[in-house]
Amino acid sequence: MSDDKTNPMGLFKKYLTNRRIFKNREVLRHSYRPQILPHRKPQIDELASILAPALTNETPSNILIYGKTGTGKTASARYVGTELENASALAGTKCKIVHLNCEVIDTQYRVLAQIANCLDDVDQHPSDSTRNHIPMTGWPTDQVYMELKNQLENNGGVMVIILDEIDKLVKKSGDDTLYNLTRINSDLKFAKVSIIGISNDLRFTDFLDPRVLSSLSEEEIVFPPYNAPQLCDILQQRAELAFIEEALEEAVIPLCAALAAQEHGDARRALDLLRVSGELADRENATVVGEKHVRMAQEKIETDSMVECISTLPTQSKAVLYAMLILEQMGKRIFTSGEVTVVYREIARIIDLDVLTHRRITDLISELNMLGVINTRVVSRGRYGRTKEMWFDATASKIEEVVTRDPRLDDPRLKELDTNRLKAMFR
């Protein structure tokens, strides 16, 4: 302890001096934007060709971009957007790109306000002039729309609005936002608007009004998953910038790529594996990242992502999950939605939770399946119809540990549930 006091860096000295693995770990983060995007040239070229009319002050077609998580959709759209702004500056035309993450900005009011506020450039205003900065709440939506329209007219030129995770906006707030944005050009004289929607849910268009869909999907671009060799190229490109020379064993990058390719060709997953592998090696003062570090990283990432996923679930979803845990403790490795509903209702009664309908419970079960917490399958029972069966993919003990962190589900009365009575109800 006394040594630390005499050293100005104290406890952290060893972490700053032992740089034997990383040169720049930020290169392996999702937020890093590389200058070159390997294996996405066809999609980038197609995107550029659709947006090119903006350089001659014409309205580009609206675009829907589909693809699973980690297939380069956002990075490609941002790259093309930056190139478009640079080219427009050289061409003497006015093009502006606004990128919104609809997982965060998920209501019509907030979307319209955010776009308008991005347009309202502080530098263009004299210091004594009035600025109509839209608050994030408080105005009527019609007033926000009118202010956005005025801002667009005052700025002129072409605006390209990138709506990332557009499916989250539609599921949360319906398609009114898209209806207004896809028709705003009819209210404009001096400005033009183009929409790029990015989604990893191919079915979200089922929620759209046909008129909105036809306007929004004038052009569609699909980003296929990366295969293992393509992921190797991506990781190799980043590794050269992220790690010092000879810090990686030869098998590390192919292993990270192979593991990520099994998970739908997700480049983010591959980058996370490589980064966490390096961090684990760094913490144990190893000089080289090896296969064992990749295996350790895979286990750590899976555990961490599951814990984060479950801990952020609403209480009703946790109650459904807790019902499944009780069924497994009763010796049922595979259980049906009907059995989950019976146990869930007992839990809801004990902790004074509003009881959901069977239909809503099956919706929550589907969401848990989509999140990867459980596995489900639909089986036919002949003349008795079909039912949904489910089972845990991960260790139930870890799931229980996370679920019971919710104060409402850490109730001693739940430990006293009469499982024999419940078993009798299933006969």
Side-chain angles (χ1 to χ4, degrees), residues 34-41 44 72 75-77 79 226 237-238:
Q35 292 299 311
I36 299 170
L37 293 166
H39 305 292
R40 283 297 174 251
K41 191 174 187 306
I44 287 171
S76 297
Y79 173 76
Y226 294 107
Q237 176 203 44
R238 301 284 186 101

Side-chain angles (χ1 to χ4, degrees), residues 134-195:
I134 302 172
M136 290 316 285
T137 56
W139 286 15
T141 305
D142 289 348
Q143 184 183 353
V144 179
Y145 179 81
M146 287 301 296
E147 182 59 32
L148 170 60
K149 196 180 77 168
N150 292 337
Q151 295 273 13
L152 287 165
E153 288 287 66
N154 290 337
N155 279 268
V158 178
M159 167 173 263
V160 179
I161 301 167
I162 301 174
L163 298 174
D164 211 342
E165 308 270 9
I166 191 174
D167 48 294
K168 302 283 175 39
L169 172 67
V170 172
K171 289 173 185 174
K172 171 79 181 287
S173 309
D175 58 9
D176 289 350
T177 314
L178 300 180
Y179 182 84
N180 286 328
L181 288 176
T182 53
R183 278 158 177 70
I184 198 169
N185 283 320
S186 60
D187 294 335
L188 299 172
K189 290 182 180 178
F190 306 110
K192 298 169 179 66
V193 170
S194 174
I195 311 293

Side-chain angles (χ1 to χ4, degrees), residues 217-346:
S217 59
E218 292 172 334
E219 299 277 356
E220 294 187 0
I221 302 175
V222 177
F223 279 62
Y226 294 107
N227 58 33
Q230 289 172 337
L231 288 171
C232 272
D233 292 342
I234 293 167
L235 293 181
Q236 192 65 52
Q237 176 203 44
R238 301 284 186 101
E240 288 172 5
L241 300 171
F243 295 96
I244 65 171
E245 286 186 35
E246 299 182 355
L248 298 180
E249 283 185 4
E250 194 174 330
V252 166
I253 286 178
L255 180 56
C256 289
L259 292 171
Q262 292 171 9
E263 304 241 346
H264 314 300
D266 186 343
R268 292 185 181 187
R269 172 77 169 190
L271 289 167
D272 283 343
L273 271 172
L274 187 56
R275 176 178 54 80
V276 176
S277 300
E279 288 172 351
L280 292 172
D282 202 22
R283 286 172 199 166
E284 64 178 42
N285 290 322
T287 54
V288 183
V289 183
E291 284 188 55
K292 70 166 187 174
H293 297 115
V294 178
R295 300 290 182 190
M296 289 161 60
Q298 184 187 25
E299 187 176 337
K300 184 178 189 300
I301 288 169
E302 285 177 356
T303 303
D304 289 352
S305 61
M306 186 192 69
V307 167
E308 183 182 353
C309 170
I310 296 172
S311 61
T312 55
L313 288 172
T315 303
Q316 288 284 11
S317 294
K318 288 178 184 172
V320 171
L321 199 50
Y322 197 86
M324 297 177 193
L325 290 166
I326 290 173
L327 285 165
E328 187 172 76
Q329 288 164 11
M330 290 164 56
K332 288 183 171 286
R333 296 291 171 221
I334 296 177
F335 25 88
T336 66
S337 53
E339 290 169 339
V340 172
T341 300
V342 168
V343 180
Y344 159 82
R345 286 175 178 159
E346 286 290 307

Side-chain angles (χ1 to χ4, degrees), residues 24-40:
N24 179 9
R25 80 179 70 194
E26 293 305 309
V27 172
L28 300 174
R29 300 279 180 190
H30 303 167
S31 54
Y32 177 78
R33 289 163 64 184
Q35 292 299 311
I36 299 170
L37 293 166
H39 305 292
R40 283 297 174 251

Side-chain angles (χ1 to χ4, degrees), residues 29-88:
R29 300 279 180 190
H30 303 167
S31 54
Y32 177 78
R33 289 163 64 184
Q35 292 299 311
I36 299 170
L37 293 166
H39 305 292
R40 283 297 174 251
K41 191 174 187 306
Q43 289 79 14
I44 287 171
D45 286 346
E46 186 177 359
L47 195 50
S49 68
I50 297 168
L51 294 178
L55 295 173
T56 53
N57 206 38
E58 297 175 75
T59 311
S61 297
N62 295 326
I63 309 166
L64 267 184
I65 297 175
Y66 295 106
K68 292 184 179 294
T69 302
T71 52
K73 304 182 299 296
T74 301
S76 297
R78 280 180 173 274
Y79 173 76
V80 173
T82 301
E83 290 290 304
L84 180 67
E85 286 185 332
N86 294 340
S88 71

